[in-house]
Amino acid sequence: MAGAIEIFLPFTLMCTAIWACEDGQVDHLTARQSLDEQLQANSYPANPWVFPYYYNIQPRLPFAGYADAARIPFYRKSPGYFAKIDVNDGYRQEDRLGFGNLGANLFSSLFTLPTRPFRPFANLVGRMDACTCTSSSGDAGICTSALACSLLSRKPSGSCNLGRVCCVDVLATCGGTVTLNNTYWQSPSTPVSAPSTCALTVRLDSTLAEQALPICQIRLDFVSFTTAQPTAGTCTDTFQVSGATTVAPTICGNNDGQHMYLDVPSSASTPTDVRLTFNFAAGMTTRSWKIKIALLPCGTTYLAPTDCLQYFSAASGRVKSFNWQDVAGTATRQLNNQDYNICFRTELVSSQRATQMCLSICAVSNGGDAFSITTPTSTDAAAATAAVVTATTNLAKAQTTLTNAQATLATAQTTLADAQTALTNAQNNIAPTQAALTAAQDALATAQDAVPVAETALTDAQGALTTAETDLATAQGTLTDARTALNKAYIDLAAAMAAIPPDYAAIDVARAALTTAQTAIIDALAVVDGAQTVANTAQTNVNNAQTTLTNKQTAVTDAQTAVDTAQLAAVNAQTAVTDAQTAVDTAQTNVNNAPAAVTDAQTAVTTAQAALTAAQTAAANAVASAAALSGVGTSAIVNGVNTATCLYDFLLISSAQDSTNVEADRYCGNALNPATTPIATSVPVCTPIKPFRMTFQTDNTEEAVAAGANILPAPADTANTGFCLDYQEK
Ligand SMILES: *[C@@H]1O[C@H](CO)[C@@H](O)[C@H](O)[C@H]1NC(C)=O
């Protein structure tokens, strides 16, 4: 704690009065610490933003400004203690303020290191964030010497202590870049020409000399903001933010006093350019603005929770939709395409942590409508829209039925055509098969005729064989006889030679006998030769007759085979004829049956078409009755489902209840001020859900929404103003 006092003393010397230096933060911190202790004592969740209730909101850890280990009672700072200087925090915000001359030297040496460009005001910037002042014109500034103020190209306005001036940073150009905290961007002094664009870049980079503290959030304060009014809710002049992680809605019209918080990644790790862009459509109208741009250091207690475009840190106040104004008239001021969260810090009310937040319409004096968001569909309309869903489903079913019936008809027609083709083919097939049968039958007859002819030839050949064999036997007998006679002649010859006597007379006799015997042999030899020739001829005849017989037998066999083949062919041909006839009969049956199927399918198509027409009529009627119904409604049970009827444009206040304990989440139409004349009535609602928060959402049109697949119809609505609500934490 000794270090804290050391730092505190030189700081008071430098700025002389705490109220001039971060005074708001002192108060915040004190209040915050009490709150954190309450939170811990009552075991509230450390991160209430993860309540499932906020289904559409990304939670963030830690929740800035809530329970935080670094600020348990042990570390509690005494009242009046200046901001937080605990080195364990890792926040060096006040380090820069507290070192006095020593600190200034430290910083200037930092800035004059080779990697850092020389900045003439480098040793001043450490003090800028601390000694804020309010200029004579009411703008936030910093206390510097007049010289430093001119070096910064800022505007001196009013004075501070020690002879210094209240130095205000105002930029009145298009295309500039802002790096200094609390710069004002205002419209150029000459009227804005249109169409045109006017943009400003906010550069966040902790390597910049004037941004030693890492920046995590930007707060835009629209001190004044006037552009063209929207057309049917759509901005023609637009103000847009890009480069921030927060998705800011496009706005236009009158936004004096409004603000936006924009999250950015820490400028220490991710330098970021955030661009603010006005696009002016053609046309003459007043366009002027003055926007204060505050760069908020990471980890500070006064950061808005993530995804809170607007953040209120007082126990009561006023919250308005962009472009809401207390003006009479029927112009549409509600802006299209809004989708953002409005968050409220939970405050201590009478030393107790607030338990609920109540909202009521703000008082108007110029005839403005304090709560007018696109008129919702009523409970009846919710039922009617459910009927649209049913009718649309039925319509789809009828269309499917028709399509199926048409497909069935097409199939039946194809079947008929195919059957007719098959019949023709079968009929054409009859004649060829019958011709084939006739040919087969003719071939059979021919083959059968050939069999007896071959058999006769066989019989003849057998006769010829028998004759030749008889002749052969005869010739062989003759030959045998001749040979026998020859042998006898030889024997006689031998006997004659043996009988030759030794005298001549006897020799002569013997010679005569010998000659006779020789002659007999010669004759017998001749007979044998003749008989042999006859026998040979007979043998040849027998052989030939046998060959002929074999041939004839083969011919008979062939003829019989031919008969068998022809008979098979005839049977097959007969079967083919029978089959062809059967095919004709079948095809004919199919041809007879198919038209009935076609007729049935045609009837089905006609029925389906009638059903479709009926379903179309039913759907059209359902859409018409849904579109015709309107009224004030919040939510209703439809088919057992709790259906929010503020379907397209609404303010979401979680679990809010009115004085009669009617609970709803979504508010639209004139739900919170059902009567605007003669005096506005207010239906205050309160929500116990913490952290306190609302979500404003509008769609992209004020025109009617046509029914479609999964789209419920809605009537056109105009003259919506948005909302102006006073909130009060209790
Ligand atoms: C910028 O000024 C705001 C007050 O408008 C202050 O809360 C914040 O800490 C300042 N930012 C830096 C980086 O000092």
Side-chain angles (χ1 to χ4, degrees), residues 374-385 629-638 641-650 664-669 712-715:
T374 306
T375 302
T377 50
S378 66
T379 305
D380 287 347
T385 51
L629 287 164
S630 67
V632 175
T634 48
S635 64
I637 305 291
V638 177
V641 177
N642 196 345
T643 311
T645 55
C646 296
L647 214 47
Y648 296 108
D649 299 340
F650 55 84
D665 294 333
R666 295 180 178 202
Y667 291 88
C668 55
L712 301 183

Side-chain angles (χ1 to χ4, degrees), residues 25 93 129 181-182 213 215 292 294-297 302:
Q25 290 175 32
Q93 181 180 19
D129 307 312
N181 196 14
N182 294 331
L213 287 181
I215 304 300
K292 180 188 172 197
L295 315 180
L296 307 185
Y302 45 90

